[in-house]
Amino acid sequence: MNHPYHLVDKSPWPLLSAFSVMSLVSGLAKWFHMFNMDLALISFLTTSLIMIQWWRDVIREGTYQGLHTVQVGVGLRWGMILFIASEVLFFLSFFWAFFHSSLAPAVELGSSWPPAGIKPFNPFQIPLLNTAILLASGVTVTWAHHALMENNYTQGVQGLFLTVFLGLYFTSLQALEYYEAPFSIADAVYGSTFFVATGFHGLHVIIGTTFLLVCLIRQMLNHFSSTHHFGFEAAAWYWHFVDVVWLFLFISIYWWGN
């Protein structure tokens, strides 16, 4: 090979993942309409197995085979930047829906926000605690990143472990908040905007926590060096994005929208 680019080998995972995700969506529809989870559970299992094997191949290419050259790394970074930009627009649609409904509440909502009959959460209880947790996790993931750049194995593991723990703690408190919610997703546009925006953010926290857990395992297996750790860097970027989105959610939906 006389060029710095990575020409990807033939792989069964893109095609298999497409069929598996299609089956998963069909299974979810079957669950919602027929109250039968069999297809959804089987499809979730197959999708997870395909993802694990696909990412295993990518880790092998970058860690052991040396295919992630400097030039390939530049492309990967731009890919992650564009992905996060698409996520910004994804969440922008939810904020647009929220402010469209809250700045000029319709008569059907009682001409007030929150709508008549809706008792919102106290923003200075669990939401404020979750804000502190995510801000702390931003500090710990930055600590882990700096430790990694300085080849400090121990502090890198410690920082990543604390970040994963804080991500799981945040998810647990969010689930508790949902369980105790005095309103549901069916309660006017308030319930819809609240649960869709915070629910998708919670999903991103779970994805980011999984991302960082994989990085923790890879750090413990010595996959990263001070100059070759884009997998961790991408996870850190994604986690900071999740932090920023939560700050906007807390300020607008929990505090201002109260």
Side-chain angles (χ1 to χ4, degrees):
M1 185 176 70
N2 59 357
H3 58 80
Y5 302 99
H6 178 203
L7 302 180
V8 183
D9 295 330
K10 292 180 181 179
S11 170
W13 309 129
L15 182 62
L16 290 177
S17 65
F19 279 113
S20 184
V21 170
M22 180 182 70
S23 177
L24 178 60
V25 173
S26 302
L28 291 174
K30 181 182 178 183
W31 178 25
F32 295 160
H33 290 279
M34 303 176 65
F35 305 102
N36 187 318
M37 295 180 61
D38 294 347
L39 181 59
L41 291 175
I42 294 172
S43 302
F44 178 79
L45 178 61
T46 57
T47 302
S48 300
L49 291 173
I50 291 168
M51 288 162 52
I52 290 170
Q53 293 175 95
W54 193 351
W55 295 339
R56 175 207 62 191
D57 290 351
V58 174
I59 290 172
R60 286 174 176 173
E61 292 165 358
T63 306
Y64 301 117
Q65 299 174 6
L67 296 175
H68 289 184
T69 62
V70 173
Q71 191 68 35
V72 172
V74 171
L76 292 173
R77 282 171 171 78
W78 273 110
M80 193 65 192
I81 289 170
L82 292 173
F83 169 69
I84 292 176
S86 72
E87 292 277 59
V88 170
L89 297 176
F90 178 73
F91 277 98
L92 180 63
S93 64
F94 301 143
F95 285 107
W96 188 302
F98 172 78
F99 284 111
H100 174 80
S101 301
S102 61
L103 290 175
V107 175
E108 293 81 4
L109 301 177
S111 298
S112 64
W113 192 267
I118 297 290
K119 181 184 178 183
F121 288 105
N122 185 339
F124 301 109
Q125 293 180 345
I126 289 182
L128 183 61
L129 176 58
N130 267 344
T131 303
I133 291 170
L134 274 190
L135 290 176
S137 71
V139 173
T140 56
V141 77
T142 303
W143 169 33
H145 193 189
H146 282 275
L148 191 56
M149 290 189 293
E150 296 172 5
N151 279 323
N152 191 326
Y153 172 85
T154 303
Q155 290 195 17
V157 170
Q158 291 172 346
L160 273 171
F161 176 80
L162 285 174
T163 308
V164 171
F165 171 76
L166 290 171
L168 293 173
Y169 189 23
F170 175 94
T171 303
S172 301
L173 289 176
Q174 192 74 23
L176 175 63
E177 182 182 67
Y178 280 6
Y179 181 75
E180 297 180 343
F183 55 90
S184 73
I185 194 172
D187 283 324
V189 71
Y190 185 89
S192 300
T193 54
F194 176 87
F195 280 106
V196 170
T198 59
F200 270 111
H201 176 267
L203 178 62
H204 282 68
V205 170
I206 293 171
I207 294 170
T209 304
T210 306
F211 203 171
L212 290 167
L213 178 60
V214 172
C215 289
L216 173 60
I217 295 170
R218 294 188 65 194
Q219 170 71 352
M220 295 172 69
L221 295 173
N222 291 307
H223 283 190
F224 298 133
S225 70
S226 60
T227 58
H228 193 82
H229 56 264
F230 176 70
F232 171 80
E233 201 172 350
W237 290 358
Y238 186 84
W239 196 252
H240 288 309
F241 162 74
V242 168
D243 283 352
V244 173
V245 170
W246 176 259
L247 289 177
F248 280 100
L249 284 172
F250 175 75
I251 292 171
S252 60
I253 294 181
Y254 282 100
W255 184 23
W256 180 86
N258 196 7

